[in-house]
């Protein structure tokens, strides 16, 4: 499966989710290729730190910030891998557009802030465009860096705002603002590998990965 974690809005935590999802699948025994589609190369840096520390399993990671190059490499090498995770940069780029046409699933992280919610109109338009070129793209939005606790009004309001964007189905598996995620990515670790273990962070990532990879037939898929 090809999964893109992308948004035209920067600062929403795409790289954190991309690295965590890729490592989760690798630790589960999948052959994973993580593609860093951002010129900043943060995903690639995290995986390089993991390799330097001798952590197993290792994971293949490449950086292609140019859309035509990303598309060509995935088309040429994609069959070698069970899962391809693409971390697309936080802007409307050629890499993001190429990734959308290649992907089975788009995961759009957004934070419970007005500017993040407003920006969903841009990625929604790109989803419509990608679907006109390729049938079958499944697009989901998930709250990332959500407020801790389950009774946050900001979290609830942000999730409700997705009703204005029918191109994106809501994955009700929020990933909350936790120090464990930053610490893990800063060391090239899956959050389960971090000591001391943060059980809430681990559970949130596990729920998200399960929803993306295991519940495809049960999650509402928007039409068109």
């Amino acid at each position: 499966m090809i999964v893109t974690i992308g948004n035209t809005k920067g600062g929403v935590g795409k790289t954190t989710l991309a690295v965590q999802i890729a490592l989760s699948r690798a630790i589960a025994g999948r052959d994973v290729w993580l593609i860093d589609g951002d010129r900043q190369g943060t995903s690639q840096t995290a995986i390089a730190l993991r390799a330097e520390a001798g952590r197993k399993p290792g994971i293949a990671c490449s950086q292609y910030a140019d859309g035509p190059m990303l598309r060509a490499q995935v088309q040429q090498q994609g069959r070698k891998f069970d899962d391809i995770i693409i971390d697309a940069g936080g802007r409307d780029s050629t890499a993001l557009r190429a990734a959308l046409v290649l992907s089975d699933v788009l995961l759009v992280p957004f934070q419970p802030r007005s500017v993040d919610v407003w920006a969903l109109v841009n990625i929604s338009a790109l989803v419509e465009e990608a679907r006109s070129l390729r049938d079958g793209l499944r697009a989901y939005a998930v709250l990332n860096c959500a407020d801790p606790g389950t009774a946050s009004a900001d979290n609830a309001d942000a999730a409700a705002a997705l009703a204005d964007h029918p191109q994106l189905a809501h994955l009700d598996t929020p990933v909350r603002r936790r120090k464990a995620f930053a610490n893990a990515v800063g060391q090239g670790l899956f959050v389960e590998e971090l000591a001391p273990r943060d059980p809430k962070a681990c559970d949130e990532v596990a729920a998200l990965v399960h929803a993306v990879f295991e519940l495809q037939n049960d999650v509402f898929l928007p039409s068109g």
Side-chain angles (χ1 to χ4, degrees), residues 13 17 21 33-35 39-40 48 59 62 76 78 82 87 104-105 110 125 129 137 175 186 208 215:
L17 292 189
I21 290 170
W33 185 16
L34 176 60
I35 296 178
R39 290 184 177 88
Q40 292 182 356
I59 186 172
S62 306
Q76 292 171 15
D82 298 320
D87 174 14
D104 302 297
V105 171
F110 71 109
E129 182 178 328
L137 174 64
V175 177
L208 177 61
L215 299 181

Side-chain angles (χ1 to χ4, degrees), residues 16-30:
T16 295
L17 292 189
V19 170
Q20 291 303 299
I21 290 170
L23 290 175
S24 173
R25 298 296 280 174
I27 288 171
R30 304 283 287 180

Side-chain angles (χ1 to χ4, degrees), residues 103-203:
S103 295
D104 302 297
V105 171
L106 167 67
L107 184 65
V108 180
F110 71 109
Q111 297 188 21
R113 303 179 303 191
S114 296
V115 290
D116 282 34
V117 174
W118 297 336
L120 291 175
V121 67
N122 299 318
I123 190 66
S124 296
L126 290 186
V127 168
E128 284 194 354
E129 182 178 328
R131 285 176 172 155
S132 72
L133 300 172
R134 177 189 182 277
D135 291 332
L137 174 64
R138 301 173 178 184
Y140 306 107
V142 64
L143 273 174
N144 192 35
C145 297
D147 294 336
T150 58
S152 166
D154 288 342
N155 290 351
D157 290 347
L162 283 174
D164 295 331
H165 304 281
Q167 302 87 351
L168 305 172
H170 178 213
L171 277 190
D172 191 15
T173 55
V175 177
R176 292 176 171 81
R177 188 171 58 250
R178 302 189 189 281
K179 189 176 180 180
F181 293 123
N183 289 345
V185 172
Q187 301 175 60
L189 299 178
F190 182 41
V191 70
E192 284 278 5
E193 299 174 306
L194 194 66
R197 184 178 183 272
D198 183 332
K200 291 182 178 179
C202 295
D203 289 348

Side-chain angles (χ1 to χ4, degrees), residues 40-51:
Q40 292 182 356
T42 309
S43 287
Q44 189 175 54
T45 298
I47 299 306
L49 290 171
R50 181 180 184 84

